[in-house]
Amino acid sequence: MQAGAQTDVDVVVIGAGFGGLTMLYRLREAGFSMQGVEAGDGVGGTWFWNRYPGARVDVQSVEYSLSISREVQDEWTWTELMAPQEELERYVNFVADRLDLRRHIKFETRVTAMTWDEASATWLVQTDKGDAWRCRFVVTAVGCLSAPIEPAIEGLHSFKGETLYTNRFPKGGYDFSGKRVGLVGTGSSGVQATPVIARQARHLTVFQRSAAYTMPAGNRPWAPGEFEALRENYDEIRAVQFASPLGAARFGAVAVGELMRTVPPNILETPMEERLARLDRDGWLAATPFAWADVTVDIEANHAARELYAELIRRQVNDPETAAALVPHYPMGCKRPIIDIGYFETFNRDNVTLVDLRKGAITRVTPEGIETEQGAFPLDVIVYATGFDAMTGALNRIDIRGQNGALMRDAWIAEGPRSYLGLMVAGFPNLFTITGPGSPSVLTNMISSIEQHSSWIVQCLGHLRTQGLKTIEAEPDAQEDWVTHVASLAQGGVRVHESCTSWYLGANVPGKVRVYMPYAGGLNVYRDRCDEIASAGYAGFALA
Ligand code: NAP
């Protein structure tokens, strides 16, 4: 493909993570021509960029894996319950090679603009390398957590040591041996990285603004023959997985699918001795929203569950002041739960210090290290695990111009994302968003959601082809109803409580409009709704 050349393909697919690869495969199987575009120099998306030490998936690998190809499923061997980043990157490369997908992708190329042309009913997709593809459809598979945010800390770039970001970590890793390391951020990435860095570094200082709700992953290698037995059983595993609201029967080592089928007691109606007895019996699980029915809907119940969580931390962490600092101040269940390997124990090490930024914030980064209101910390390396402009960031960074030249981000920045089913946006015909805002996406096993979306999209394109239709577009009324429905599902609970500062709400990005972005009704319910809509001749969509 020559820079600047205009090439007609049926579909341009943006992104070569699991979403993009799945889409490319399904499009090719269905006989569409396509062009993939990927900013990185390899496949993998999340698992390409987030190469930080300790990175690991929180869903069991037999479920966090593709079911689209029997060969891929049968030929790949997982080595442990939840794969680490390196294994997932190897797997996604295996998928790309086994399904021969690499030849469809232009790497090291970022889509910068896409413009809808009403007269020809085509999109013009342009990149930072000067490519311009004219196509009938665009599918974005840009990821929900792929637009890094740089923390707004004065002097960030003045540091004369090494500055690293978990979400752009160097390929091949980084040797922290003998170094004084500062880690900023204690979300999933920071929590996973902490124990691994602590084992290597001379000293690790963890700068914590918000404490984390995290529990032990329960990861382990397979027992002899265990994986082979599971592999024999993939059909059953997939059936259970896809019937679950989370698109996974398990979160970490916990059988959440089963738990969600039972109604647990209310914590506020349970005497304290009984709560503590459950803590002794069930461990961390007793301090999660899975254990108590009222925790996600009643803030008092939430505080009671947090007390149990604090008790568990006190049992793990020797220094009482550090243990107290590790207790979150926001509601349990408002942010994505985290699973870890040895997080709290790490704070018992002599070479680890926790700096609770609630007692004095970071004031600036200097050439020597980090200064806070509590004092200065000289460092050799700073690792930022400070998160993403989630769900909308990657799309808003592209100039997407739909009907009448309207720029998609103008509306999304002003009002929050608006879409029908999280799949299409009114005013932007023939543009599909895999795991877009308004779909279950980040509340589920992402691979299950990716498979469901890509399947729906390719069936939709097949329908248009057989009917001789050129365009499909979300109707504004259907979109408004959907946006209202998505908001209603989160209403009243801790997810939207004023004290919740999750990235689901955009609350981690200064100035971002506060809207609960994912669909919280469960992937199983959502899939049925999408299928019903398709069966009803794509109700709520205008086809022409
Ligand atoms: P994150 O959850 O947004 O955490 C970012 C952390 O950085 C928070 O503790 C935040 O504090 C802190 N922070 C941000 N700006 C700061 C500043 N200026 N000064 C001090 N602290 C600052 O990001 P993440 O850890 O990368 O995780 C994002 C999501 O990716 C996860 O929720 C999860 O969905 C996914 N993920 C999954 C896995 C897994 O499945 N195993 C692993 C990693 C990531 P505040 O909370 O106070 O803003």
Side-chain angles (χ1 to χ4, degrees):
M1 188 90 41
Q2 283 181 357
Q6 292 214 345
T7 310
D8 286 316
V9 287
D10 294 328
V11 191
V12 167
V13 177
I14 308 174
F18 281 118
L21 294 181
T22 302
M23 197 68 235
L24 288 171
Y25 175 67
R26 288 200 147 130
L27 287 169
R28 193 180 61 199
E29 293 290 289
F32 292 98
S33 62
M34 71 273 187
Q35 176 65 53
V37 195
E38 165 57 49
D41 66 7
V43 295
T46 286
W47 304 107
F48 173 92
W49 297 105
N50 293 268
R51 292 179 171 131
Y52 62 87
R56 183 181 295 278
V57 68
D58 55 8
V59 174
Q60 295 194 9
S61 299
V62 289
E63 296 188 299
Y64 191 83
S65 55
L66 292 168
S67 72
I68 51 169
S69 147
R70 197 85 218 179
E71 295 74 34
V72 163
Q73 185 167 281
D74 289 346
E75 291 171 23
W76 183 260
T77 299
W78 295 108
T79 61
E80 43 191 319
L81 225 56
M82 283 155 269
Q85 178 274 332
E86 311 85 70
E87 187 166 336
L88 281 156
E89 197 181 354
R90 275 201 306 281
Y91 172 70
V92 75
N93 276 280
F94 164 74
V95 170
D97 290 333
R98 188 67 181 82
L99 302 179
D100 189 22
L101 295 171
R102 241 178 258 279
R103 66 190 162 96
H104 302 296
I105 304 163
K106 181 149 194 273
F107 289 99
E108 294 182 88
T109 302
R110 194 173 278 282
V111 170
T112 50
M114 39 212 247
T115 311
W116 174 249
D117 178 57
E118 194 75 42
S120 62
T122 57
W123 282 97
L124 180 67
V125 178
Q126 293 166 285
T127 75
D128 61 353
K129 296 286 158 61
D131 310 277
W133 293 287
R134 191 163 286 286
C135 56
R136 181 104 11 235
F137 302 97
V138 176
V139 179
T140 66
V142 293
C144 297
L145 293 152
S146 52
I149 39 174
E150 197 162 86
I153 303 175
E154 188 191 321
L156 191 82
H157 298 289
S158 70
F159 183 54
K160 66 175 171 16
E162 190 82 49
T163 299
L164 301 170
Y165 299 88
T166 52
N167 48 33
R168 286 159 275 168
F169 209 77
K171 193 172 187 169
Y174 184 85
D175 184 5
F176 293 97
S177 306
K179 310 262 195 216
R180 297 163 305 168
V181 183
L183 174 68
V184 182
T186 48
S188 304
S189 305
V191 165
Q192 287 190 331
T194 292
V196 187
I197 298 176
R199 286 198 293 274
Q200 275 182 28
R202 170 144 66 101
H203 194 92
L204 171 65
T205 307
V206 177
F207 295 88
Q208 173 194 274
R209 191 166 70 180
S210 300
Y213 285 106
T214 174
M215 61 187 251
N219 184 53
R220 59 175 174 79
W222 303 113
E226 187 181 1
F227 174 67
E228 288 67 24
L230 286 169
R231 182 154 53 190
E232 288 299 304
N233 228 1
Y234 256 129
D235 287 346
E236 204 178 302
I237 290 170
R238 299 301 185 196
V240 174
Q241 168 182 347
F242 285 113
S244 150
L246 301 181
R250 288 183 164 70
F251 177 73
V254 178
V256 286
E258 262 167 65
L259 284 175
M260 288 169 88
R261 281 194 289 277
T262 58
V263 180
N266 285 335
I267 193 166
L268 292 182
E269 289 161 15
T270 306
M272 185 56 87
E273 318 81 77
E274 169 65 17
R275 295 181 200 175
L276 291 169
R278 280 173 170 258
L279 209 58
D280 291 337
R281 191 189 70 200
D282 299 336
W284 293 94
L285 193 58
T288 67
F290 294 120
W292 311 103
D294 46 356
V295 160
T296 52
V297 288
D298 181 335
I299 200 71
E300 288 310 314
N302 203 285
H303 292 158
R306 184 170 61 192
E307 257 318 297
L308 293 182
Y309 186 74
E311 169 59 20
L312 282 169
I313 296 174
R314 286 192 288 273
R315 291 181 188 180
Q316 294 272 316
V317 177
N318 300 338
D319 174 47
E321 202 184 330
T322 305
L326 286 165
V327 178
H329 281 200
Y330 56 90
M332 172 185 292
C334 102
K335 295 188 183 183
R336 186 176 167 101
I338 303 174
I339 57 172
D340 68 83
I341 300 181
Y343 181 64
F344 290 117
E345 296 90 313
T346 300
F347 293 96
N348 294 332
R349 294 176 67 105
D350 292 338
N351 71 331
V352 175
T353 307
L354 179 71
V355 178
D356 180 1
L357 298 174
R358 287 176 299 199
K359 294 184 183 142
I362 293 176
T363 46
R364 61 191 178 121
V365 173
T366 67
E368 284 72 40
I370 292 181
E371 274 183 19
T372 73
E373 288 163 354
Q374 309 170 49
F377 296 84
L379 300 164
D380 302 310
V381 185
I382 303 177
V383 181
Y384 293 99
T386 42
F388 303 87
D389 182 356
M391 308 209 64
T392 52
L395 288 169
N396 283 345
R397 288 176 190 188
I398 303 173
D399 292 338
I400 307 177
R401 289 195 182 274
Q403 284 163 339
N404 307 316
L407 198 54
M408 195 158 94
R409 70 166 161 267
D410 282 349
W412 281 29
I413 287 173
E415 306 167 32
R418 310 189 85 67
S419 79
Y420 182 36
L421 299 175
L423 270 164
M424 296 199 86
V425 180
F428 297 83
N430 291 8
L431 169 65
F432 297 91
T433 51
I434 289 196
T435 64
S439 75
S441 65
V442 290
L443 299 181
T444 70
N445 172 0
M446 285 302 287
I447 293 198
S448 302
S449 283
I450 282 167
E451 290 202 353
Q452 185 259 334
H453 264 187
S454 57
S455 163
W456 192 93
I457 292 168
V458 85
Q459 279 174 30
C460 173
L461 296 188
H463 175 79
L464 297 178
R465 182 171 56 189
T466 51
Q467 299 297 312
L469 298 166
K470 281 204 169 122
T471 59
I472 178 165
E473 185 192 347
E475 288 174 349
D477 288 352
Q479 175 166 294
E480 280 321 293
D481 288 350
W482 185 254
V483 169
T484 306
H485 175 57
V486 170
S488 73
L489 292 170
Q491 264 325 305
V494 293
R495 286 179 171 133
V496 291
H497 191 267
E498 59 193 3
S499 60
C500 180
T501 54
S502 71
W503 54 256
Y504 295 139
L505 284 165
N508 65 325
V509 179
K512 191 167 175 175
V513 62
R514 197 177 156 91
V515 170
Y516 192 80
M517 294 181 278
Y519 167 91
L523 180 59
N524 49 350
V525 175
Y526 172 82
R527 186 190 44 240
D528 290 348
R529 185 84 180 257
C530 290
D531 290 347
E532 279 160 25
I533 285 168
S535 303
Y538 293 89
F541 291 98
L543 279 62

